[in-house]
Amino acid sequence: MLDATPRYPGQLPAAPGVGYKPQHFRDIADHPAPVAWLEIHAENYMGAGGRPIAQLRHLSARFPVSVHGVGLSIGGEGPLDADHLSRLKQLCDWLQPASFSEHLAWSSHGDHFLNDLLPLPYTDATLARVAAHIDQVQQMLGRQMLLENPSSYLAFAESTWSETDFLAELAHRTGCGLLLDVNNVFVSATNLDYEPRAYIDAFPLDRVGEIHLGGHDEDSDDHGAPLLIDSHGREIADPVWTLLDYTLARTGPRPVLVEWDTDVPDWPVLAGEAGRAEAALARVPA
Amino acid sequence: MTVSQAQLHDALLDGARPAPAGLTDGHGRPAGGRFAVYRNNVAVALTDALEANFPAVASLLGPANFRNVMGIFLRRHPPARPMIAEYGAGLPAFLDGFEPLGHLGYLGDVARLEQALRAAYHAADAAPVDPAVFEALAPDALMQSRLTLAPAVRLVRSNWPVHAIRAYALEPGAPKPPAQPQDVLIQRPEYDPQMTTLPPGAAGFVTTVAAGHTLGAAHDAALAEAADFDLAQTLALLLSGGAITEITPGETP
């Protein structure tokens, strides 16, 4: 059990950041503004050397870096992959990132990694298992982690907890912080037909150490109801910006990250999205 | 009703299975096609990873064909580890044995070359030796010494013109591949892997050196493959590519 820091968990600045893509290396070196920090996917920096590691070393000397894991399968039914946990520790040990985060999801079963963030039923059994896994991660890394809310396309009939209560209880039991993905909230609320602001109101906002934003695609389900897909492949939708304002008004300034992972645009477009996040932060009383 | 991850895993990888019962749309109705979002995410994410890792194979097969073949591969061989840049180590052997593509016998070797290039890109950094060390060795001492090669060095030997086929697949205007086998040496002087098609004998030399034998033994192996093997030329190639990180002198009397 680790203590939460007084203001918000973690050491990232309450400023805009972006998910780092190697094609932006030169642009970031030359004119990063308004981007103040960078997030990397842990699994892309587990090679032994070469350009990826060299670029990361270079950038980390200049920017706070957040390590965002996408492969630990913290919600997996089996034990955590000890080898993968060791690789995460090795990365965090040399990089000394300002933050480490992972997802409330599973992605591996047996020795198959499915490369997607897969959904969990919110039950007492899941809670106990995920809490034990978070304890193990925080012990191993020797640091507090942030856990991110998922985007959902379906629900489990067996769930007995709301997602917000589930996350609050996990944070309470383990001392972990939370990463609030506002786009995921909007996607899940649309898909499962609830009010996104009610979700924000119910969220344990004092635990939020980072906010994520990303683009989504629009589809529909078997009954013609809207079904949003968390694609990270386009501009952030206007209602998500509005929901960010609503959230920041309640959390105060927080580190805000723009994620753009597929059909990655040129740097000015991504920096422009970070600029919108900067403007949203500027509207918030400190 | 509980849904296990084993059930979900099986249904995610097998499109013929129905979505597991116990999944809903948030209003208690069966999730139906919503489950297909996850199924699609898994297939697309893994296919995209394979396309990023094997661009020449993707180009040679064309988009629709590549997606179909990879759909079969990824269901038989999902990644074993979450580092997606290393996904596809089993693809060359899969392509070798995949009968519907038997008429494209070179595909497996093209995949081997792409796999080797990627491994070289991510390999550990290493400082090369100073070429002057070689010049200081007497010929006898040189032939009894052993070399340590940089972690990025890879050798791909093929019965196909694998280097030329890869170039033909990826580079507009690249010449039509010649009908001849090619041995390709990959070195990484700094961060960009560089490929060289080797003259006869050189691959035997590199293989023998990499196995820890003396330069003399490697020279013999090369001469057995090609009587006109040029030792000085091959050593110069390895030195210019930063491929040699250590010279261990032999035990001379």
Side-chain angles (χ1 to χ4, degrees):
Chain A
M1 175 100 183
L2 299 169
D3 290 332
T5 50
R7 199 159 64 87
Y8 63 80
Q11 301 159 21
L12 291 168
V18 294
Y20 170 63
K21 299 293 164 197
Q23 56 264 51
H24 296 146
F25 179 76
R26 185 54 55 198
D27 290 304
I28 290 173
D30 292 346
H31 39 81
V35 172
W37 57 279
L38 301 170
E39 188 159 280
I40 58 153
H41 286 178
E43 287 71 14
N44 292 341
Y45 296 89
M46 290 178 168
R51 179 175 280 117
I53 304 290
Q55 287 192 338
L56 181 55
R57 267 189 213 287
H58 186 85
L59 291 168
S60 68
R62 205 172 142 191
F63 298 94
V65 172
S66 160
V67 171
H68 191 49
V70 295
L72 189 56
S73 199
I74 261 180
E77 284 174 0
L80 290 182
D81 178 345
D83 291 339
H84 197 61
L85 207 44
S86 296
R87 289 188 288 267
L88 284 171
K89 178 172 169 51
Q90 195 187 2
L91 176 60
C92 287
D93 281 353
W94 76 257
L95 184 61
Q96 292 294 315
S99 174
F100 172 76
S101 52
E102 251 286 356
H103 299 84
L104 178 60
W106 65 282
S107 51
S108 292
H109 181 71
D111 56 0
H112 288 170
F113 171 67
L114 297 172
N115 203 21
D116 192 28
L117 299 166
L118 297 161
L120 292 167
Y122 300 138
T123 63
D124 291 348
T126 309
L127 186 67
R129 189 175 76 235
V130 174
H133 286 169
I134 293 171
D135 280 341
Q136 193 186 346
V137 173
Q138 295 188 135
Q139 288 275 335
M140 178 76 172
L141 300 184
R143 60 163 66 225
Q144 185 188 34
M145 65 165 284
L146 307 180
L147 187 70
E148 178 176 345
N149 60 299
S151 53
S152 300
Y153 310 112
L154 50 75
F156 287 76
E158 68 196 275
S159 287
T160 54
W161 290 75
S162 71
E163 188 169 286
T164 48
D165 286 351
F166 192 86
L167 285 163
E169 183 63 16
L170 279 173
H172 173 70
R173 285 196 193 180
T174 66
C176 77
L178 298 173
L179 194 172
L180 176 56
D181 189 317
V182 173
N183 179 60
N184 287 357
V185 172
F186 186 78
V187 165
S188 298
T190 304
N191 293 345
L192 300 177
D193 195 19
Y194 56 76
E195 173 52 51
R197 294 184 176 204
Y199 183 101
I200 300 294
D201 292 341
F203 202 88
L205 296 175
D206 59 325
R207 293 287 187 164
V208 173
E210 181 181 341
I211 290 173
H212 270 189
L213 300 169
H216 59 251
D217 294 338
E218 297 180 9
D219 203 343
S220 59
D221 77 355
D222 300 345
H223 306 280
L227 190 64
L228 302 183
I229 312 294
D230 180 35
S231 61
H232 295 182
R234 60 172 65 211
E235 280 93 353
I236 295 149
D238 283 339
V240 174
W241 287 114
T242 307
L243 192 59
L244 174 68
D245 287 336
Y246 183 85
T247 304
L248 288 174
R250 281 150 188 79
T251 57
R254 288 289 186 280
V256 177
L257 182 91
V258 176
E259 294 185 293
W260 200 320
D261 295 319
T262 58
D263 296 326
V264 176
D266 289 342
W267 177 249
V269 176
L270 187 56
E273 293 285 270
R276 285 189 77 171
E278 184 185 41
L281 282 163
R283 290 192 287 270
V284 185
Chain B
M1 151 151 292
T2 62
V3 186
S4 73
Q5 288 175 5
Q7 280 176 281
L8 291 167
H9 163 274
D10 293 351
L12 285 165
L13 289 180
D14 182 355
R17 290 176 191 247
L23 304 177
T24 76
D25 67 352
H27 287 297
R29 295 181 296 198
R34 289 161 174 261
F35 184 72
V37 175
Y38 295 101
R39 191 179 265 155
N40 188 55
N41 281 351
V42 170
V44 169
L46 293 179
T47 304
D48 286 353
L50 290 164
E51 187 179 354
N53 291 351
F54 299 94
V57 172
S59 167
L60 290 165
L61 285 176
N65 214 1
F66 182 76
R67 214 166 28 248
N68 290 338
V69 176
M70 293 308 116
I72 296 166
F73 174 75
L74 70 89
R75 285 170 178 84
R76 283 192 206 162
H77 306 282
R81 311 207 299 176
M83 290 89 81
I84 215 65
E86 66 179 40
Y87 182 38
L91 187 63
F94 171 84
L95 292 171
D96 284 345
F98 190 62
E99 279 190 17
L101 295 177
H103 59 294
L104 306 177
Y106 48 81
L107 269 187
D109 279 0
V110 174
R112 266 178 202 96
L113 180 57
E114 298 201 285
Q115 176 79 12
L117 280 168
R118 203 151 21 80
Y121 183 75
H122 290 285
D125 304 332
V129 291
D130 180 351
V133 178
F134 267 99
E135 288 153 23
L137 284 174
D140 276 1
L142 178 66
M143 296 311 267
Q144 285 172 32
S145 64
R146 292 171 162 83
L147 306 183
T148 305
L149 299 182
V153 174
R154 296 289 185 283
L155 178 67
V156 177
R157 304 195 71 170
S158 178
N159 291 322
W160 300 90
V162 63
H163 178 268
I165 294 172
R166 178 187 169 277
Y168 187 73
L170 294 180
E171 297 162 16
K176 204 168 181 314
Q180 64 181 45
Q182 283 183 333
D183 298 326
V184 186
L185 177 71
I186 300 170
Q187 308 180 95
R188 202 188 81 199
E190 196 181 17
Y191 296 129
D192 294 308
Q194 293 178 0
M195 289 179 284
T196 310
T197 53
L198 294 176
F205 177 81
V206 172
T207 304
T208 312
V209 162
H213 299 293
T214 63
L215 275 188
H219 190 210
D220 291 344
L223 289 173
E225 285 188 17
D228 61 346
F229 171 71
D230 185 337
L231 175 62
Q233 186 192 30
T234 301
L235 282 176
L237 171 68
L238 293 171
L239 284 169
S240 71
I244 302 170
T245 58
E246 200 179 338
I247 302 169
T248 310
E251 285 161 25
T252 44

